Every structure is written in C-alpha cells, then in structure tokens.
Amino acid sequence: MSVDATTAVLQDVGVQQPASLAPLSGGTYNAVTRVTFEDGTGWVVKIPPAHSTGLSYERHLLVNEVTFYKAAAETWEAVAPRLVAALEGL
C-alpha cells in the first residue's frame, strides 16, 4: 500500500499535512503506516487490502480490531491504543 493511500485516508478524516509518513513492516495482513504530526503526536494508520484478496474470514479482521479498541476504551482502565477514526466499508 502506498503513502498516497495513507494520505487519502488521512484526508478522509480531516488531516491535511502530517509532518511525516513512514511505512511499517512486519505486519501480515494490513498496510501499516506511522504518521507523525508537527506537535510530536503519533498515529498508526492501518489499511486493509482490497476485499478481493485473502480468505473470506480475513476481510473483517480490522473491523474486529476496531470493535475491540472501542470496547476496551469504554470498559477497562488499561493501556490500549486509542481509536481516532474508523472509516466505513472496511
């Protein structure tokens, strides 16, 4: 997945110009990019592959991850990534 795809996702959630974008390696399914802003805040952006690729159960892996992070934020006082945005149609 290209930096252009990450830029498009960021624009969809209202972010225009981050300070830097750096693809992360080691993942097995989603394209993952570290996004750093001018104030030092960092995000990790995950983009699933096109729905035509992979096995059928893999198509909703990121949706399940979003569900988990939302529930964790509402339920636990544990350290977990904070969900900033999730676009429809994952």
Side-chain angles (χ1 to χ4, degrees):
M1 186 81 41
S2 70
V3 170
D4 291 339
T6 301
T7 300
V9 168
L10 290 171
Q11 288 174 349
D12 284 348
V13 298
V15 174
Q16 297 303 318
Q17 288 294 328
S20 67
L21 300 171
L24 299 175
S25 62
T28 59
Y29 191 69
N30 299 303
V32 183
T33 304
R34 179 185 310 276
V35 178
T36 305
F37 298 96
E38 293 293 336
D39 67 358
T41 301
W43 288 1
V44 173
V45 175
K46 293 185 175 185
I47 302 173
H51 288 302
S52 61
T53 62
L55 302 171
S56 61
Y57 77 89
E58 294 175 321
R59 293 186 184 140
H60 300 291
L61 290 175
L62 196 52
V63 172
N64 293 336
E65 191 172 334
V66 166
T67 302
F68 171 80
Y69 289 136
K70 285 180 178 178
E74 295 170 0
T75 308
W76 303 325
E77 291 184 22
V79 177
R82 182 177 62 92
L83 182 66
V84 177
L87 301 178
E88 295 296 319
L90 296 175

